[in-house]
Amino acid sequence: MPRLSEVIAALDALWPPSRAEQWDAVGTVCGDPDAEVTRVLFAVDPVQEIVDEAVKLGADLIITHHPLYLRGTTTVEAGTFKGRVVHTLIKNDIALHVAHTNADTADPGVSDALAGALGLRITGPLVPDASDPEGRRGLGRICELDHPETLREFAARAAAWLPPTAQGIRVAGDPDALVRRVAVSGGSGDSLFEQVRAAGVDVFLTADLRHHPASEARETSRPLALVDAAHWATEWPWCEQAAAQLDAISERHGWGLRTHVSRTVTDPWTAHAPSVTSPSISGAPN
């Protein structure tokens, strides 16, 4: 069995910490470098539910996309949510490793997994990494459908092929407009509207779209169709992709690692009450 330090070295080769944004907090949060690793659990969020799942599974290592401590802390007291996570990890000899923005821009990265989950053909990054001479790394992906479909059909594709959440899929645009060229970005993507417009795509699928950026995107001379999915749902496909990458490394080195992808939905929204009338104020009560 490999030591944790050996597995972390392999993970850092997949998602070099140096490629993370300066504000990010990636890498190993806790764990003994000399401890043996036999079982690994992949998840989006390092929350207590996931740690409890790892304990039940007998995992030695959790790999998450989101950091546990993004802005630092002064305590890991067990009465706090994050402190309890740390205490549970250490008591059960479970390491935690984070690949966040360094996984977003990787090749393959988070948006490659999202495009793959939607059955899209990738043509290149939305925001290319200037340090990549091959032009494959970067934030987001520009994709194409094999055959044009309406925005309504594309939204239904996203609803059917992404993990289900309480939010579901929100759409802005003419449902009957034809879609062929698509931009995708896993996680919060409304900071990328300038690059999306420059790419000349028909629709942008991402998460966490806010009112004002979305409204402005719809009010331009060439309105951009938008598909807004839950943050967790757009990043969960990366877990399966990342597990497959580690499986390949384990096989190559003869490590015999057992990898698992958590199916626990850690999206914070738990219910959705749809409007009882069509989206128009004409039938709203006074």
Side-chain angles (χ1 to χ4, degrees):
M1 291 293 111
R3 293 179 299 165
L4 175 63
S5 59
E6 295 175 285
V7 178
I8 296 304
L11 299 178
D12 285 348
L14 290 176
W15 314 299
S18 61
R19 293 186 187 145
E21 296 289 341
Q22 289 187 346
W23 51 262
D24 205 0
V26 302
T28 305
V29 178
C30 66
D32 180 353
D34 293 324
E36 286 190 347
V37 176
T38 60
R39 197 181 295 266
V40 183
L41 179 65
F42 286 83
V44 174
D45 298 299
V47 294
Q48 190 66 42
E49 265 189 300
I50 296 301
V51 176
D52 291 343
E53 182 179 346
V55 172
K56 185 176 181 180
L57 184 66
D60 311 291
L61 170 62
I62 302 172
I63 299 171
T64 64
H65 183 50
H66 290 153
L68 179 62
Y69 289 106
L70 186 57
R71 294 176 178 85
T73 188
T74 59
T75 179
V76 292
E77 192 267 319
T80 66
F81 141 57
K82 294 186 179 184
R84 186 158 62 96
V85 165
V86 172
H87 277 253
T88 306
L89 289 169
I90 293 174
K91 283 182 179 179
N92 292 277
D93 294 320
I94 302 173
L96 173 63
H97 186 82
V98 174
H100 192 211
T101 54
N102 50 331
D104 285 333
T105 58
D107 172 33
V110 170
S111 292
D112 292 286
L114 174 57
L118 294 167
L120 304 176
R121 178 164 49 87
I122 296 169
T123 61
L126 175 62
V127 186
D129 183 341
S131 68
D132 178 17
E134 296 183 3
R136 297 177 60 88
R137 292 198 309 268
L139 191 61
R141 293 295 183 267
I142 299 172
C143 312
E144 291 185 353
L145 291 161
D146 289 334
H147 305 285
E149 58 190 39
T150 65
L151 178 59
R152 179 185 289 105
E153 291 169 332
F154 180 74
R157 170 194 291 256
W161 293 9
L162 290 180
T165 60
Q167 172 185 311
I169 303 294
R170 298 191 300 175
V171 181
D174 178 1
D176 295 319
L178 285 180
V179 169
R180 177 77 184 253
R181 191 168 162 83
V182 181
V184 301
S185 183
S188 304
D190 62 16
S191 65
L192 301 175
F193 278 136
E194 182 179 347
Q195 292 89 343
V196 171
R197 282 192 289 266
V201 298
D202 303 309
V203 62
F204 179 34
L205 184 148
T206 188
D208 295 343
L209 290 179
R210 295 169 296 165
H211 175 87
H212 293 294
S215 177
E216 291 171 8
R218 291 294 306 149
E219 295 299 326
T220 60
S221 58
R222 186 177 182 273
L224 180 65
L226 305 173
V227 175
D228 182 41
H231 190 120
W232 173 84
T234 64
E235 293 182 330
W236 183 85
W238 172 80
C239 295
E240 290 194 321
Q241 175 181 277
Q245 288 178 280
L246 185 55
D247 281 338
I249 292 170
S250 174
E251 184 175 352
R252 188 161 62 245
H253 291 288
W255 286 346
L257 290 178
R258 286 165 288 178
T259 61
H260 305 263
V261 175
S262 175
R263 264 64 182 176
T264 302
V265 178
T266 55
D267 185 78
W269 305 106
T270 57
H272 175 208
S275 300
V276 296
T277 59
S278 62
S280 167
I281 63 171
S282 60
N286 293 327

